[in-house]
Amino acid sequence: SSEFEDVFSPTLRKQLFTVSFMEDRNGVLKTHSTISKRQEGFLTAVMEENCQTINDLRKLSFDEFNYREDLSSNNELVFVKIA
């Protein structure tokens, strides 16, 4: 959560990344609080697949969410579910 970023030093903040969850409804990408709650499914998938690296995270597929390289950046991983 971005509200906690100030807790970390600027050096450490450069190493952090965010994970975003979106829904594709007929080609329109949406983010809302219900989708953001999917982080629980994401964390479960991370543990079940024993992810150790960011590349491992990019390979995840869970609760019909898939990693989207075209929407992601070096500091944000975006997962999209087709609605």
Side-chain angles (χ1 to χ4, degrees):
S1 175
S2 61
E3 63 216 43
F4 297 109
E5 285 180 3
D6 292 339
V7 173
F8 302 105
S9 71
T11 303
L12 184 58
R13 273 188 253 162
K14 290 178 185 177
Q15 298 175 38
L16 300 177
F17 63 94
T18 59
V19 179
S20 299
F21 306 99
M22 304 178 90
E23 190 173 70
D24 182 333
R25 289 185 175 257
N26 299 316
V28 178
L29 295 173
K30 297 188 177 200
T31 302
H32 51 78
S33 60
T34 306
I35 293 174
S36 296
K37 303 269 187 230
R38 296 296 177 209
Q39 59 194 329
E40 293 172 6
F42 174 74
L43 292 175
T44 299
V46 168
M47 290 184 288
E48 287 176 349
E49 297 298 321
N50 195 27
C51 294
Q52 301 291 317
T53 67
I54 291 176
N55 283 333
D56 290 342
L57 299 177
R58 290 181 177 118
K59 296 174 189 173
L60 285 179
S61 185
F62 60 96
D63 297 339
E64 298 180 44
F65 282 87
N66 294 293
Y67 172 71
R68 288 277 305 265
E69 183 175 7
D70 60 319
L71 300 173
S72 299
S73 66
N74 288 338
N75 59 350
E76 180 181 27
L77 302 180
V78 178
F79 290 84
V80 177
K81 176 181 182 176
I82 307 292

